[in-house]
C-alpha cells in the first residue's frame, strides 16, 4: 500500500489509477507526485533514483513531471533506512 511520505496517510488509489502531478494528500495537503513517494527513489544513487533514464529532480518533496513515477511507500522506506542506520551505529559503537 502506498502512503504519503509526510504524514503516512494511505493513498486511496483505485486499481489502475495514476497519481497525477497536481494530486495532494487528503490529510496533510503534501504533493503526491514526488520523488519521496516513488518506488524508484533511492538515496545515494545517481539522481537518487533507480531509474537510470530519469531526469534530475532538485526538490524531492515537490511535485515533478517524471514519467517514471510509480507510487511507493515513502514513509516505510524512511523507517527502514533509520532502522538500518541505527543497527550500523550500534554495531560500530565503542
Amino acid at each position: 500500500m502506498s502512503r504519503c511520505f509526510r504524514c503516512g496517510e494511505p493513498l486511496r488509489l483505485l486499481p489502475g489509477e495514476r497519481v497525477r502531478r497536481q494530486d495532494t494528500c487528503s490529510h496533510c495537503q503534501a504533493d503526491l507526485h514526488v520523488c519521496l513517494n516513488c518506488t524508484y527513489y533511492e538515496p545515494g544513487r545517481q539522481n537518487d533514483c533507480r531509474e537510470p533514464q530519469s531526469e534530475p529532480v532538485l526538490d524531492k518533496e515537490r511535485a515533478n513531471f517524471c514519467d517514471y513515477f510509480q507510487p511507493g511507500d515513502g514513509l516505510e522506506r524512511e523507517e527502514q533506512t533509520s532502522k538500518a542506520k541505527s543497527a550500523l551505529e550500534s554495531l560500530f559503537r565503542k
Side-chain angles (χ1 to χ4, degrees), residues 13 17-26 29-34 63:
L13 299 174
E17 184 178 13
R18 295 180 57 123
V19 174
R20 298 170 302 186
R21 183 186 181 280
Q22 68 273 15
D23 289 345
T24 58
C25 175
S26 60
Q29 304 307 310
D31 291 335
L32 294 179
H33 196 285
V34 301

Side-chain angles (χ1 to χ4, degrees), residues 6-74:
R6 185 173 292 156
C7 71
E9 184 75 13
L11 305 183
R12 300 182 194 331
L13 299 174
L14 299 174
E17 184 178 13
R18 295 180 57 123
V19 174
R20 298 170 302 186
R21 183 186 181 280
Q22 68 273 15
D23 289 345
T24 58
C25 175
S26 60
H27 186 257
C28 71
Q29 304 307 310
D31 291 335
L32 294 179
H33 196 285
V34 301
C35 293
L36 294 177
N37 270 348
C38 182
T39 192
Y40 294 116
Y41 177 69
E42 187 173 321
R45 288 268 186 137
Q46 181 177 357
N47 299 328
D48 293 328
C49 186
R50 289 193 322 258
E51 174 52 57
Q53 297 178 358
S54 68
E55 296 288 325
V57 175
L58 297 179
D59 190 344
K60 309 294 187 201
E61 293 186 18
R62 295 203 49 206
N64 60 60
F65 291 100
C66 182
D67 292 331
Y68 299 103
F69 177 84
Q70 293 293 319
D73 195 339

